[in-house]
Amino acid sequence: QRKFSLKHRISECKKIREKYPDRIPVIIEKSSTNSGRIPDLDKHKFLVPSDITIGQFMYVLRQRIKIPSKVGMFLFINNKMLSTSTLIGGVYEEEKNIDDFLYIVFSGENTFG
């Protein structure tokens, strides 16, 4: 968000939405307060089907990061933690940024000791 101008981000998202109208453009970043507990992602932009749940998307992220099962993963959108049963398409309509990307912050916590 800080690297590119608002105009550039809006035009990029418009191109993506025209090419993939059934996908949600998501930018995901690791929480700055939780840097040591969870590894970084190898990429930060995702095109997510609008009909999957937050839980399904979280599963994909866990597989990509290779988080151990004892570490809990949490997703935040606009500083709100959402139910894993919520469809990402509905979240996008309610929480998308002015540039039409959905920004998600992830964090991890040791849940079993």
Side-chain angles (χ1 to χ4, degrees):
Q1 209 172 1
R2 294 180 279 287
K3 292 181 184 178
F4 299 102
S5 70
L6 177 62
K7 185 177 178 181
H8 180 267
R9 293 190 322 258
I10 289 172
S11 67
E12 183 181 1
C13 191
K14 185 177 179 184
K15 283 189 253 180
I16 292 168
R17 295 288 290 165
E18 286 173 358
K19 190 170 181 179
Y20 305 100
D22 61 332
R23 303 279 176 150
I24 305 297
V26 174
I27 296 178
I28 186 158
E29 299 171 338
K30 183 167 68 168
S31 170
S32 59
T33 61
N34 208 315
S35 57
R37 294 187 184 105
I38 198 164
D40 284 327
L41 273 168
D42 57 341
K43 70 179 204 170
H44 299 282
K45 290 182 181 178
F46 291 87
L47 280 176
V48 182
S50 60
D51 60 347
I52 70 166
T53 64
I54 295 291
Q56 289 170 314
F57 182 55
M58 195 181 304
Y59 176 78
V60 170
L61 292 175
R62 286 185 73 91
Q63 297 300 311
R64 195 164 189 94
I65 300 173
K66 297 179 176 72
I67 300 175
S69 59
K70 67 179 182 175
V71 177
M73 182 178 192
F74 304 95
L75 300 182
F76 299 92
I77 300 171
N78 294 332
N79 292 323
K80 293 184 262 184
M81 194 165 76
L82 300 169
S83 167
T84 55
S85 62
T86 308
L87 288 177
I88 204 157
V91 172
Y92 176 75
E93 291 305 319
E94 292 176 20
E95 303 290 343
K96 66 184 174 184
N97 195 305
I98 193 168
D99 61 10
D100 284 342
F101 281 100
L102 182 64
Y103 290 91
I104 298 177
V105 175
F106 70 94
S107 177
E109 186 67 43
N110 265 345
T111 53
F112 302 110

